[in-house]
Every structure is written in structure tokens, then in C-alpha cells.
Amino acid sequence: MAGSLLCLMKRQMPVLFEAEEACAGLFHKGAEEYVVLAGTLETGTQGFLIIADKLLPFVQDRTLLFAILDRLNRESLSGLHQLLEHPGGVIYLYKQIICFPQGLSQELFDQLLESGVREFRQGLRYICQQLESVLTAARRSGGSRMGTDRN
């Protein structure tokens, strides 16, 4: 199954890395570029799709950031939004587990990729809106809520 996944990915994007059960590539949608990681699990009928790209600037108030992420995940229907620590900030990603008991076709892969990118973009927009809302409220009150223990 990993071989067919690699073929499906190569039809959509340049593949940067491939291993026995997974591969990574760069997917372009309009002017945007996304890192896509996909792979199969041991059963061969399940896999994963991860869309990652954006390095968010360092936010000192991690409690706030994870509260925003928690709200986003409660509203997500098919995947999980995560943040990974990185020296310059955090990397935002969207991850979903996929089942394909009848095999993974190009059409199914394309649909999963499109929906994954759409969820990624919506999640990123939501995170940025929530952070901007907090920053705007902090400016109005004359103080900064970022980097403090207050919520």
C-alpha cells in the first residue's frame, strides 16, 4: 500500500522524502505551499495525512495558545490540530487518520488532501483571529496579556 501512496502523492506534488511506510512532499494550492506527510499503518487499510507549514511567532503565553487549540479541536469533525515546539515559535499542523478498506484511489487521496488543506487553513485562520483578539483587547486596556499568567 505504501508504494501506491507514493505514486498518488507523486501525481500531486514533488516528493521530498520517502520511507517504507511514509512519504513527505510539497503541495501547492494557489500561492500557498504546504508540507504534506502521508503514510500507512500496519494494517494497510488505514493511514494518516498531516498538513503542516506555518511557523507561528513565539507566543509566551502557552496556556492561551493551548486553550485556543483546545477550542479548535472540540469543533473539528475529522482531525486533530496540533502545535509542535520549535526554537522560533511553534509549528502548526493538522492531522487526520484515514481508512481505506477498499484501497486508496487517486480520487479518494485527492479528496483527503483537499479537505486536509481546507481544515488546515481554517484552523490557522481561527488561531490567528483568536490571538489578534487577545492582542487587541490588551492594547485597549493599556497592558499586555501575552507573556503573563493572566488569561
Side-chain angles (χ1 to χ4, degrees), residues 4-148:
S4 66
L5 178 64
L6 181 62
C7 290
L8 296 174
M9 280 193 65
K10 283 184 175 179
R11 290 183 187 160
Q12 289 293 339
M13 67 195 81
V15 172
L16 304 173
F17 170 81
E18 58 186 274
E20 189 174 324
E21 300 292 330
C23 46
L26 286 177
F27 179 67
H28 296 272
K29 179 151 176 87
E32 298 292 321
E33 181 178 75
Y34 304 92
V35 175
V36 176
L37 299 118
T40 56
L41 304 177
E42 289 179 19
T43 63
T45 60
Q46 292 181 316
F48 63 90
L49 181 69
I50 299 172
I51 311 293
D53 177 48
K54 302 300 179 196
L55 177 65
L56 300 174
F58 186 79
V59 178
Q60 291 180 354
D61 192 342
R62 296 294 195 206
T63 304
L64 170 65
L65 200 52
F66 287 111
I68 292 169
L69 197 65
D70 183 54
R71 286 193 301 268
L72 181 59
N73 277 320
R74 279 187 266 142
E75 296 174 8
S76 180
L77 297 176
S78 62
L80 181 66
H81 301 266
Q82 289 184 295
L83 297 173
L84 301 175
E85 295 286 336
H86 188 273
V90 291
I91 297 173
Y92 165 65
L93 62 91
Y94 173 75
K95 176 172 42 177
Q96 68 186 72
I97 301 297
I98 51 179
C99 287
F100 35 89
Q102 304 302 319
L104 185 59
S105 67
Q106 186 71 51
E107 182 180 354
L108 178 57
F109 179 77
D110 293 348
Q111 289 173 356
L112 292 167
L113 183 58
E114 286 294 324
S115 68
V117 167
R118 186 174 45 254
E119 286 287 331
F120 175 89
R121 292 173 76 170
Q122 289 173 345
L124 182 62
R125 196 169 23 255
Y126 180 81
I127 291 168
C128 291
Q129 287 170 347
Q130 294 298 308
L131 289 173
E132 182 61 31
S133 169
V134 169
L135 289 172
T136 300
R139 278 188 229 121
R140 284 189 194 136
S141 68
S144 172
R145 290 175 50 146
M146 303 302 256
T148 68

